[in-house]
């Protein structure tokens, strides 16, 4: 990579030039701006693993385990169960969760319940550290609509590593309103946690981002689904519901079917949409969820059909330059009762009457010491500093303004669900799966995104970028609801 390509990739332009050639040379010497590895292709012949399901009144441990990921046999991983990842926690709306959590790791951890609107003391703020051999009892009511959420560690500086090594799981909320829709369930409702990993020659997970990869994101050459490398799933010729989580630290996926066919988006981060949206593509960034239906009823038996990532652009030069397959579906013809796609799902109550518009300027600055380059409003995260205060039950519009020229920032707000009001610059549009309740929104280079939300939980929460390399670098602020 020559100097101008390097500057372009870093999105630095004038800043780096102003910093002078010595800094630039030192950056390049230290491996900044390394090329993202290509995703390796192969034969999709490993049966998809599906995590076990537990209820909301169970015990959970973060612990080391063994898993076969590559070709080298079993390797050590982290998880909330026996291997990589954790069980799917499935609860009913209005249920009280009571989970006794034990840290069996050799370092501190905690749990953030991503997508659950719960009291600050249970939310997994980076202040909340659960030390090795300590336990913590997570207790909170689930007062939100049915949807696909997830859980993972949330420590300043360690989130990327612990999630990559395997600490993540799905958290599903069900409701009577959802059951009345008769969506595919049981064996026909499948969670898909998509993550890219960088595996070493022995098949173990590597996590050692260079300074360049703190900027571009630490992208892996191996795509796992529920911890399965090159997975396939036997499906019947009927409708299926897939709850998809992008659990990668940085990689964005442009999901599509390999035959170019349509699929139906029925839900997003915060639950079901007002109505199904027919799409051919769906861009999903780190931390976001998509609840989709795929109709296999007209797919001929024996046909190779994949859920794939289709090449895309506009999300920074490290992202989207390659199409690759994610999971293969083996369709078996079967006689099935006809499924009627509902014309409407769960009505959306539009938020209005915002008392304030609060700006969040997302910048990438080349600092003196090369850490804390990722900033919000010119600041890097400090646990003890309250950056914004908000009144309880107030409604505000927050505007995320991505000024960093080559980096996409999926912005996540804790303690609330929001609706997207507007996106200007870049794509200049709100895409179908964003037309419902959200907690994470992709802000592409040069985009401004406005979200509206009502604050119903007291206490100290964070707003941050869900590119976990950016987050661990400090792209996170505290806000306190008073
Ligand atoms: Cu970011």
């Amino acid at each position: 990579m020559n100097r101008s390509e390097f500057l372009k990739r870093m999105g630095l332009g004038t800043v780096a030039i102003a910093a002078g050639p010595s800094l630039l040379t030192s950056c390049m010497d230290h491996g900044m701006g390394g090329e993202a590895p290509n995703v390796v292709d192969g034969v999709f012949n490993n049966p998809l693993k599906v995590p076990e399901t537990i209820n909301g009144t169970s015990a959970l441990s973060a612990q080391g385990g063994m898993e076969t990921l590559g070709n080298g046999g079993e390797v050590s991983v982290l998880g909330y169960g026996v291997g990589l990842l954790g069980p799917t926690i499935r609860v009913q709306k209005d249920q009280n969760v009571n989970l006794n959590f034990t840290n069996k790791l050799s370092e501190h951890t905690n749990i953030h319940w991503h997508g659950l609107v719960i009291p600050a003391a249970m939310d997994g703020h980076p202040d909340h550290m659960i030390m090795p051999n300590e336990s913590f009892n997570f207790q909170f009511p689930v007062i939100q609509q049915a949807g696909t959420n997830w859980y993972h560690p949330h420590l300043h500086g360690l989130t990327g590593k612990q999630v990559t090594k395997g600490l993540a799981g799905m958290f599903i909320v069900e409701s009577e309103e959802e059951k009345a829709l008769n969506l595919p369930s049981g064996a026909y409702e499948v969670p898909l946690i998509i993550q890219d990993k960088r595996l070493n020659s022995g098949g173990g997970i590597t996590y050692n981002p260079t300074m360049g990869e703190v900027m571009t994101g630490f992208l892996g050459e191996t795509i796992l689904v529920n911890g399965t490398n090159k997975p396939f799933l036997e499906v019947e010729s009927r409708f299926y519901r897939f709850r998809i989580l992008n659990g990668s630290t940085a990689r964005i996926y442009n999901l599509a079917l390999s035959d170019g066919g349509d699929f139906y988006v029925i839900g997003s981060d915060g639950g079901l949409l007002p109505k199904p949206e027919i799409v051919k593509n769906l861009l999903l960034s780190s931390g976001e969820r998509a609840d989709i239906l795929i109709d296999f009823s007209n797919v001929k038996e024996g046909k190779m059909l994949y859920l794939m990532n289709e090449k895309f652009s506009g999300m920074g030069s490290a992202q989207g330059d390659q199409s690759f397959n994610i999971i293969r579906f083996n369709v078996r013809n079967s006689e099935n009762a006809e499924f009627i796609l509902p014309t409407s799902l769960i009505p959306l109550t539009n938020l209005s009457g915002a008392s304030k518009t609060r700006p969040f300027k997302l910048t990438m600055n080349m600092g003196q010491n090369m850490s804390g380059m990722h900033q919000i409003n010119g600041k890097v995260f400090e646990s003890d500093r309250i950056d914004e205060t908000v009144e309880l039950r107030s409604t505000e519009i927050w505007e995320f303004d991505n000024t960093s020229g080559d980096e996409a920032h999926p912005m996540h707000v804790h303690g609330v669900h929001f609706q997207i009001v507007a996106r200007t610059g870049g794509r200049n549009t709100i895409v179908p799966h964003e037309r419902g309740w959200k907690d994470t929104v992709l802000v592409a280079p040069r985009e401004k995104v406005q979200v509206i939300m009502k604050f119903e939980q007291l206490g100290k929460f964070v707003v941050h970028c869900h590119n976990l390399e950016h987050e661990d670098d400090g792209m996170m602020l505290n806000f306190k609801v008073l």
Side-chain angles (χ1 to χ4, degrees):
M1 183 160 41
N2 67 31
R3 178 167 296 193
S4 67
E5 281 165 344
F6 171 80
L7 287 171
K8 197 172 146 225
R9 168 153 293 193
M10 295 304 108
L12 279 171
T14 51
V15 179
I17 288 164
S22 59
L23 174 59
L24 186 58
T25 309
S26 125
C27 297
M28 297 181 84
D29 288 348
H30 288 87
M32 295 185 59
E35 293 295 322
N38 276 332
V39 170
V40 292
D41 200 9
V43 184
F44 285 67
N45 57 5
N46 295 312
L48 177 74
K49 296 173 197 165
V50 178
E52 65 159 332
T53 300
I54 63 170
N55 63 33
T57 53
S58 318
L60 206 60
S61 300
Q63 61 193 45
M66 302 300 287
E67 191 87 63
T68 301
L69 301 174
N71 300 319
E74 284 203 318
V75 293
S76 43
V77 295
L78 301 183
Y80 294 108
V82 287
L84 197 81
L85 302 173
T88 298
I89 301 168
R90 202 175 269 266
V91 306
Q92 303 302 311
K93 183 184 169 190
D94 298 325
Q95 186 191 328
N96 285 310
V97 165
N98 186 343
L99 282 159
N100 203 47
F101 171 70
T102 305
N103 179 6
K104 295 182 181 168
L105 307 175
S106 56
E107 64 184 8
H108 63 284
T109 189
N110 68 4
I111 300 183
H112 168 53
W113 308 93
H114 185 139
L116 297 180
V117 179
I118 55 174
M122 295 290 146
D123 185 64
H125 186 280
D127 283 351
H128 183 198
M129 290 182 237
I130 301 162
M131 306 314 282
N133 301 313
E134 277 185 7
S135 293
F136 184 83
N137 190 226
F138 284 98
Q139 289 188 44
F140 49 84
V142 174
I143 50 171
Q144 63 198 66
Q145 73 144 308
T148 304
N149 306 285
W150 65 302
Y151 60 100
H152 63 80
H154 205 287
L155 305 147
H156 182 46
L158 276 177
T159 301
K161 186 188 95 173
Q162 290 194 358
V163 172
T164 301
K165 297 281 184 181
L167 292 174
M170 218 175 245
F171 191 110
I172 292 172
V173 181
E174 298 177 328
S175 71
E176 291 302 322
E177 297 92 313
E178 179 192 39
K179 276 197 188 86
L181 296 168
N182 284 314
L183 296 167
S185 62
Y188 310 116
E189 182 212 316
V190 184
L192 302 177
I193 302 175
I194 305 176
Q195 297 176 301
D196 63 334
K197 306 282 182 195
R198 206 173 288 186
L199 301 184
N200 60 32
S201 56
I205 298 170
T206 301
Y207 189 73
N208 56 354
T210 62
M211 287 191 188
E213 286 161 345
V214 169
M215 300 189 216
T216 58
F218 187 76
L219 303 175
E221 79 296 329
T222 301
I223 310 294
L224 303 181
V225 184
N226 300 343
T228 324
N229 192 349
K230 302 285 178 290
F232 75 87
L233 179 70
E234 301 276 359
V235 295
E236 295 171 26
S237 51
R238 52 162 288 153
F239 268 89
Y240 275 71
R241 178 181 188 178
F242 294 100
R243 297 176 181 267
I244 304 178
L245 158 67
N246 181 351
S248 310
T249 69
R251 190 181 281 281
I252 299 168
Y253 302 89
N254 182 26
L255 301 173
L257 292 171
S258 56
D259 64 357
D262 293 334
F263 56 99
Y264 306 85
V265 189
I266 57 166
S268 184
D269 304 339
L272 294 170
L273 299 179
K275 64 177 180 62
E277 302 279 351
I278 303 175
V279 299
K280 287 188 189 299
N281 295 81
L282 189 157
L283 203 61
L284 203 67
S285 62
S286 314
E288 283 189 295
R289 286 86 70 207
D291 205 336
I292 68 164
L293 299 178
I294 300 179
D295 179 9
F296 296 108
S297 62
N298 295 316
V299 181
K300 283 215 174 66
E301 185 161 311
K303 187 177 169 186
M304 303 269 243
L305 183 68
Y306 293 87
L307 180 69
M308 62 173 295
N309 169 73
E310 201 169 82
K311 269 171 89 157
F312 58 93
S313 60
M315 294 297 147
S317 51
Q319 297 268 8
D321 55 0
Q322 187 193 3
S323 294
F324 52 81
N325 291 324
I326 294 172
I327 179 173
R328 188 179 83 194
F329 300 114
N330 294 350
V331 184
R332 195 176 61 230
N333 287 350
S334 57
E335 289 297 317
N336 285 296
E338 196 185 341
F339 169 74
I340 310 221
L341 184 71
T343 51
S344 64
L345 298 164
I346 301 281
L348 183 74
T349 313
N350 280 312
L351 287 178
S352 61
S355 59
K356 177 169 186 162
T357 297
R358 211 180 274 261
F360 290 87
K361 199 167 178 184
L362 315 173
T363 52
M364 223 291 293
N365 287 311
M366 192 68 94
Q368 290 294 320
N369 58 6
M370 308 292 291
S371 68
M373 295 173 290
H374 291 88
Q375 304 179 349
I376 304 176
N377 292 345
K379 296 187 274 191
V380 294
F381 182 67
E382 270 182 39
S383 204
D384 294 336
R385 189 190 62 218
I386 302 298
D387 300 290
E388 306 285 333
T389 55
V390 176
E391 264 179 60
L392 184 67
R393 286 186 280 278
S394 64
T395 301
E396 295 197 358
I397 289 173
W398 286 13
E399 181 177 88
F400 298 111
D401 179 3
N402 185 352
T403 67
S404 43
D406 196 41
E407 294 189 354
H409 300 301
M411 296 304 296
H412 174 43
V413 189
H414 288 212
V416 291
H417 287 148
F418 54 72
Q419 292 167 8
I420 301 175
V421 178
R423 175 183 278 115
T424 52
R427 290 170 288 164
N428 234 320
T429 185
I430 298 169
V431 298
H433 76 283
E434 296 179 326
R435 293 178 193 141
W437 291 105
K438 294 279 293 165
D439 56 53
T440 307
V441 62
L442 178 56
V443 189
R446 290 170 288 277
E447 282 182 359
K448 273 188 200 178
V449 177
Q450 289 188 338
V451 302
I452 188 168
M453 55 202 151
K454 187 171 182 188
F455 297 86
E456 310 264 20
Q457 296 285 345
L458 278 172
K460 183 178 171 187
F461 293 97
V462 287
V463 48
H464 65 89
C465 179
H466 219 287
N467 173 316
L468 299 184
E469 285 77 49
H470 296 176
E471 175 186 342
D472 282 339
D473 191 44
M475 197 168 221
M476 174 155 67
L477 294 184
N478 282 312
F479 68 94
K480 194 165 186 178
V481 182
L482 303 168

